[in-house]
């Protein structure tokens, strides 16, 4: 079983109430090859919600207490992001999922790129909180941009 970011299958769960539909990923849901997950909602955040970015590092740094996740107005939402990451990990373990496909650039789900942390729209190399936790626990993390590499391995 594969876990995929809910927004990638057309569910309007992103911070601004939109989605990022990827038809190939949606087909995986329809074929019952994947299950959706949204770590930010699992962490207790609402829709819509204020944009958030990681300040002081990336998701791995957040897990180690060296960085934090903050909204654009300065509210610290690190606890919700960490809670959501652990909930996603629990779901992955319960389902014996060894692969996830997550939304790139997200402070939760980014697998290779996240926003810089200054709300400028600039991105940096790094991973989100959930992506970092899943990787640390042996789960392969792909984004919607590179998940077809995984499909070739199947």
């Amino acid at each position: 079983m594969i876990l995929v970011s809910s927004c990638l299958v057309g569910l309007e769960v992103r911070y601004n109430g939109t989605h990022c539909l990827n038809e190939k990923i949606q087909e995986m849901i329809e074929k019952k090859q994947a299950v959706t997950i949204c770590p930010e909602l699992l962490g207790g955040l609402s829709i819509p919600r204020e944009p958030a970015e990681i300040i002081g590092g990336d998701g791995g740094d957040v897990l180690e207490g060296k960085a934090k996740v903050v909204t654009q107005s300065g509210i610290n939402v690190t606890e919700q992001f960490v809670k959501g990451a652990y909930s996603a990990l629990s779901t992955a373990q319960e389902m014996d999922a060894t692969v996830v496909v997550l939304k790139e650039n997200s402070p939760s789900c980014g697998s290779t790129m996240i926003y810089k942390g200054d709300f400028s729209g600039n991105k940096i190399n790094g991973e989100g909180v959930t992506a970092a936790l899943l990787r640390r626990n042996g789960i392969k993390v792909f984004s919607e941009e590179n998940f077809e590499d995984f499909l070739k391995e199947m």
Side-chain angles (χ1 to χ4, degrees), residues 67-102:
K68 58 187 176 179
V69 187
V70 178
T71 66
Q72 194 165 18
S73 68
I75 298 169
N76 187 330
V77 289
T78 303
E79 182 179 325
Q80 292 91 331
F81 275 74
V82 171
K83 178 183 176 186
Y86 276 97
S87 184
L89 174 61
S90 178
T91 300
Q93 291 170 331
E94 289 170 14
M95 302 189 74
D96 290 325
T98 56
V99 173
V100 297
V101 180
L102 301 175

Side-chain angles (χ1 to χ4, degrees), residues 15 31 42-43 68-69 77 86 90 103 116 119 129-130 141:
Y15 73 95
K31 293 177 182 177
L42 291 171
K68 58 187 176 179
V69 187
V77 289
Y86 276 97
S90 178
K103 177 69 184 111
K116 187 176 177 185
F119 298 93
V129 180
T130 299
V141 178

Side-chain angles (χ1 to χ4, degrees), residues 52-71:
E53 295 186 11
I54 298 172
I55 297 176
D58 71 358
D61 297 313
V62 171
L63 293 171
E64 294 168 10
K66 298 175 185 174
K68 58 187 176 179
V69 187
V70 178
T71 66

Side-chain angles (χ1 to χ4, degrees), residues 42-56:
L42 291 171
L45 296 172
S46 63
I47 307 165
R49 56 192 171 274
E50 208 179 344
E53 295 186 11
I54 298 172
I55 297 176

